[in-house]
Amino acid sequence: MKNGTTSSDFILLGLLVNSKATGIIFAVIFAILMVAVTANLVMIVLIQMDTRLHTPMYFLLSQLSIMDTLFICTTVPKLLVDMVSKEKTISFVACGIQIFLYLTMIGSEFFLLGLMAYDRYVAVCNPLRYPVLMNRRVCLLLASGAWFGGSLDGFLLTPITMNVPYCGSHSINHFFCEIPAVLRLACADSSLYETLMYICCVLMLLIPMCMISTSYSLILLTVHRMQSAEGRKKAFTTCSSHLTVVSIFYGAAFYTYVLPQSFHTPEQDKVVSAFYTIITPMLNPLIYSLRNKDVMGAFKKFFSRCSSAQKVSTNDA
């Protein structure tokens, strides 16, 4: 025991080690956290309340918002606490829980984005059969499958990571317990496990990417055959938001988990990790809402209801 730290505790060195701009960075990250949580919760509430948004696409979008909210809350609150605290420790158990949660969220999001591409394929290429192919039961099964796939990733990789022997320095050069950063502290040969993790991550990226590539290839063929310019515009509008989110999320994940370690530095890893754990959960609801007339219409309707209710309560008082 030293300064309240047990030998099994890890020390998180943080996003920027020995930075003089900690106050500014703290304010920016805190603001991003508030915007991300608020925007995702508003999206969930709007989709639940507005009947126009009771469609398969928005149901899957609400699942994405839930994942993003849990994802950012898994890492950022601890990061903010460490930025204003002298003790930057995280217990062995808490580190394991953090690894499990972020693996579950990122894995679930991988699969969900693939399923959302399938939803867009059915909507554009088979619009008449869309209500049948994407009924409520199918939507629940798809969402459950995404959550199950993500949790399977967490249950598979977390126990193995936490059973690797760690000795010597327990200082993780990262702002959360990300597996590649944690494994750098291993005092045993972890090459076999790293190979297993690499294969697992490649499969988790490859399966949804195949689904996304196939879906959008078929969508492009269908759009190319469309005679109506308005139909083409609507198809591109509904798909462009999803493609933007996919490009951002999969690009960062590809760098972290697929690119060989020889191309990595701890500083680059932290920047990329910050992008997909902090920035992406904030961008997703903004991308889908600002570029979507239905969501903006639902928001204006909700806001006008709140304003009317407030005026009535003021007049009654």
Side-chain angles (χ1 to χ4, degrees):
M1 185 78 69
K2 183 179 179 182
N3 296 329
T5 303
T6 65
S7 59
S8 63
D9 288 345
F10 292 108
I11 300 171
L12 295 170
L13 297 183
L15 184 58
L16 296 172
V17 182
N18 300 324
S19 174
K20 296 180 180 179
T22 302
I24 297 173
I25 296 170
F26 177 91
V28 170
I29 294 175
F30 181 77
I32 291 172
L33 174 64
M34 291 296 101
V35 171
V37 172
T38 303
N40 280 295
L41 290 178
V42 167
M43 184 72 77
I44 294 166
V45 171
L46 289 177
I47 292 170
Q48 289 296 319
M49 292 185 62
D50 198 301
T51 53
R52 292 177 298 177
L53 304 182
H54 290 178
T55 64
M57 183 181 79
Y58 292 112
F59 171 75
L60 295 176
L61 186 55
S62 70
Q63 297 300 303
L64 181 65
S65 291
I66 293 170
M67 291 173 186
D68 280 336
T69 304
L70 295 173
F71 195 19
I72 196 169
C73 289
T74 298
T75 57
V76 175
K78 174 61 178 170
L79 167 63
L80 294 173
V81 170
D82 287 346
M83 291 180 75
V84 296
S85 172
K86 292 182 180 179
E87 295 290 336
K88 304 180 188 299
T89 59
I90 182 169
S91 70
F92 187 80
V93 173
C95 187
I97 292 171
Q98 195 176 61
I99 288 173
F100 172 75
L101 289 175
Y102 97 78
L103 282 175
T104 299
M105 292 308 115
I106 196 172
S108 299
E109 203 155 326
F110 283 156
F111 289 119
L112 186 70
L113 290 172
L115 295 172
M116 290 173 74
Y118 170 74
D119 169 74
R120 293 298 82 212
Y121 155 72
V122 177
V124 174
C125 301
N126 295 283
L128 297 179
R129 299 181 63 196
Y130 184 66
V132 177
L133 294 175
M134 292 296 294
N135 59 52
R136 182 163 181 80
R137 181 172 175 273
V138 171
C139 289
L140 289 172
L141 286 173
L142 292 177
S144 300
W147 282 102
F148 175 76
S151 60
L152 192 64
D153 187 37
F155 280 119
L156 176 65
L157 297 181
T158 304
I160 304 175
T161 304
M162 303 316 291
N163 279 308
V164 172
Y166 298 100
C167 52
S169 173
H170 276 210
S171 298
I172 301 173
N173 192 6
H174 215 299
F175 61 92
F176 73 101
C177 290
E178 190 168 38
I179 290 179
V182 175
L183 286 179
R184 291 192 185 104
L185 307 180
C187 55
D189 182 18
S190 60
S191 57
L192 181 61
Y193 169 55
E194 288 178 17
T195 303
L196 172 66
M197 185 182 72
Y198 180 81
I199 294 171
C200 182
C201 292
V202 167
L203 286 174
M204 290 196 68
L205 280 167
L206 194 61
I207 294 170
M209 279 303 297
C210 287
M211 190 179 296
I212 291 168
S213 301
T214 303
S215 297
Y216 279 104
S217 297
L218 294 171
I219 287 171
L220 285 174
L221 287 173
T222 303
V223 170
H224 180 70
R225 294 170 186 159
M226 285 182 179
Q227 301 296 324
S228 168
E230 185 65 28
R232 289 184 180 183
K233 183 180 177 182
K234 186 176 180 181
F236 277 122
T237 301
T238 56
C239 296
S240 59
S241 298
H242 182 252
L243 278 175
T244 304
V245 171
V246 166
S247 301
I248 293 171
F249 193 71
Y250 278 76
F254 180 87
Y255 170 87
T256 303
Y257 296 103
V258 178
L259 205 65
Q261 288 297 314
S262 57
F263 291 90
H264 291 238
T265 66
E267 288 71 26
Q268 290 173 344
D269 287 352
K270 286 190 281 187
V271 170
V272 174
S273 295
F275 190 79
Y276 78 81
T277 59
I278 302 173
I279 307 297
T280 303
M282 178 191 70
L283 289 179
N284 286 352
L286 298 180
I287 290 170
Y288 279 108
S289 61
L290 295 176
R291 304 186 67 180
N292 191 299
K293 292 181 180 179
D294 292 334
V295 174
M296 291 304 295
F299 178 76
K300 290 175 183 177
K301 184 179 177 182
F302 177 74
F303 185 75
S304 63
R305 280 182 181 178
C306 293
S307 299
S308 301
Q310 189 175 6
K311 287 180 182 179
V312 170
S313 61
T314 304
N315 293 333
D316 290 342

